[in-house]
Amino acid sequence: MTFGVRLQEIRARIRSACERAGRSPESVELLPVSKHQPLERIMEAMALGFTRFGENYVQEGMRKAGGLPPDALVLLGPLQRNKAKAALQTFAEIQSLDRPDLAERLGTLAASLAVTRPVWIQVDLWDEATKVGGCPEADLPELLTTLRAHPSLPLKGFMALPPPGDESAFRALALLRDRWQDRLGQALKLSAGMSGDLESAILAGSDQVRIGTALFGSRGIVT
Ligand SMILES: *Cc1c(COP(=O)(O)O)cnc(C)c1O
């Protein structure tokens, strides 16, 4: 199956979920996730109008970025402090910010490089951080306070990878987003939902779904 055919299927799934949720299909951003996919697949997607791609690994992103227009890549995977500078140089946006010390490091480096990098806080409401990363709810205030001191890292919203099959997870995320939106007096987006669960995410109010295998097929190259 080609990217184009898979894309039609995904768009149809997004449309029907939006219909059920009483939302406009344009209110949901589709972010293709190209980790472990060769550059040619990204090119195929670019030919169909996509300009931004999610990647999980700094190394793999650095390799691909050379063959892509600037600002094409978004970081979704766990980030180590010692790769913070490379991440800022490779990715236009960072969705996996999950701890204050990393925010401090990224913010200081971004200021010294004179770059602005929108960030999403990856949250973990399910005690899964050891597996996939994410900021526990109790640590959010400190992380948000740290971020406020770093204008080079504007906050876009919350990203999460809820445990598969947990139907209540997306609603919990939507509530968390609403609470912090009120507290901060700032609009916050929610990035949740992947190939297997985009419908539940959209029904709960996700603004962005991150789709890998359902768009690109199974992941080939191993890094
Ligand atoms: C791999 C990955 C995705 C895409 O997952 P699929 O199930 O292939 O759609 C989305 N978000 C993150 C953070 C990922 O690591």
Side-chain angles (χ1 to χ4, degrees):
M1 222 192 295
T2 64
F3 182 90
V5 172
R6 290 199 185 91
L7 175 60
Q8 282 180 9
E9 288 181 1
I10 287 291
R11 290 242 194 261
R13 284 175 62 188
I14 293 176
R15 257 199 321 277
S16 99
C18 283
E19 211 164 288
R20 272 192 287 152
R23 302 178 55 184
S24 133
E26 289 78 49
S27 70
V28 179
E29 185 196 356
L30 169 56
L31 180 71
V33 178
S34 51
K35 64 171 177 239
H36 293 342
Q37 301 287 351
L39 205 53
E40 302 84 74
R41 312 307 297 274
I42 301 183
M43 296 301 183
E44 224 180 315
M46 288 184 63
L48 291 173
F50 289 94
T51 56
R52 294 175 0 116
F53 300 88
E55 288 280 343
N56 278 54
Y57 307 95
V58 175
Q59 216 82 2
E60 185 177 344
M62 287 169 74
R63 257 204 337 270
K64 288 175 171 171
L68 295 169
D71 300 339
L73 299 182
V74 173
L75 181 65
L76 304 178
L79 178 57
Q80 292 159 359
R81 272 175 66 90
N82 61 2
K83 298 218 172 104
K85 187 172 178 190
L88 289 170
Q89 289 166 331
T90 306
F91 298 95
E93 189 174 284
I94 293 173
Q95 286 209 356
S96 45
L97 178 62
D98 63 358
R99 49 195 203 278
D101 73 298
L102 181 60
E104 188 63 45
R105 178 104 187 109
L106 285 170
T108 306
L109 284 167
S112 73
L113 295 167
V115 298
T116 298
R117 294 288 179 262
V119 295
W120 301 61
I121 293 179
Q122 182 179 351
V123 291
D124 170 31
L125 309 180
W126 312 276
D127 224 8
E128 298 254 289
T130 46
K131 271 192 280 173
V132 294
C135 180
E137 194 168 2
D139 298 348
L140 263 181
E142 189 192 345
L143 178 47
L144 287 161
T145 303
T146 308
L147 265 188
R148 258 203 302 278
H150 292 286
S152 50
L153 305 177
L155 175 64
K156 286 187 76 169
F158 296 125
M159 182 274 258
L161 273 155
D166 183 347
E167 278 300 314
S168 64
F170 295 112
R171 280 192 302 280
L173 281 171
L175 289 173
L176 179 85
R177 182 260 300 272
D178 292 349
R179 267 199 312 280
W180 280 103
Q181 224 168 217
D182 286 349
R183 269 206 230 176
L184 299 177
Q186 171 195 343
L188 295 173
K189 288 182 181 288
L190 184 57
S191 172
M194 309 195 289
S195 292
D197 55 13
L198 69 90
E199 284 84 0
S200 316
I202 288 173
L203 283 172
S206 181
D207 300 292
Q208 182 189 74
V209 291
R210 310 177 308 267
I211 309 296
T213 46
L215 268 182
F216 289 106
S218 58
R219 291 185 258 276
I221 56 169
V222 174
T223 330

